[in-house]
Amino acid sequence: MDRGVAAAAVVHALVERRETLAVAESLTGGLLATTLVEIAGVSRVFRGGLVVYATDLKHSLAGVPEELLADRGPVDPDVALALAEGARSRCGADWGLATTGVAGPEPQDGRPVGLVYIAVAGPGRATVRELRLSGSRDEVRTATVTSVLGLLVDEVRGSTAGVAR
């Protein structure tokens, strides 16, 4: 599935449910929001988002606990979950999506290129998934966007894909 198809599936599913979405992006740097807003009708569901590339902004804008960031760094499953919850709460949306990881070309803080965490937070539940991606920086970012949109579609449709926390 390409990212445009995944975005259209998300928008269609949320329009049907009359629910809204917000994003908190790190390694995708706005690509997730850009992908969503390319879909006609997205204004009915997309509230907005946070591009929190710098670690300190993950705390100050998205509400990720400082202790968590200090202990584990920004590339961590619990950070991804906190980003998704932060997007959801700070933007007043039903669903929050998050991306964090290492797109390359070099490892970051001992984390390998292609290690990515995506998360979805929604009504009464949150899910995180670890990805091990390969390819160029652009390919890692694009695959991350497609994957997090697919994870949201699974969650909206009631799938238990991923690791629920």
Side-chain angles (χ1 to χ4, degrees), residues 107-126:
Q108 175 186 327
D109 299 325
R111 304 284 203 266
V113 173
L115 175 62
V116 174
Y117 294 99
I118 57 174
V120 172
R125 66 181 184 263

Side-chain angles (χ1 to χ4, degrees), residues 30-121:
L31 184 60
L32 177 55
T34 297
T35 300
L36 285 164
V37 300
E38 290 172 352
I39 305 302
V42 73
S43 62
R44 293 171 61 190
V45 300
F46 187 56
R47 298 272 306 149
L50 308 165
V51 177
V52 288
Y53 213 71
T55 299
D56 63 310
L57 293 181
K58 290 170 179 60
H59 168 69
S60 63
L61 296 180
V64 177
E66 283 181 300
E67 303 78 25
L68 177 60
L69 291 165
D71 289 347
R72 301 195 200 160
V75 181
D76 179 82
D78 291 329
V79 170
L81 286 168
L83 286 168
E85 286 289 355
R88 182 175 184 244
S89 66
R90 304 259 168 134
C91 294
D94 297 301
W95 295 91
L97 298 182
T99 64
T100 189
V102 183
E106 300 296 324
Q108 175 186 327
D109 299 325
R111 304 284 203 266
V113 173
L115 175 62
V116 174
Y117 294 99
I118 57 174
V120 172

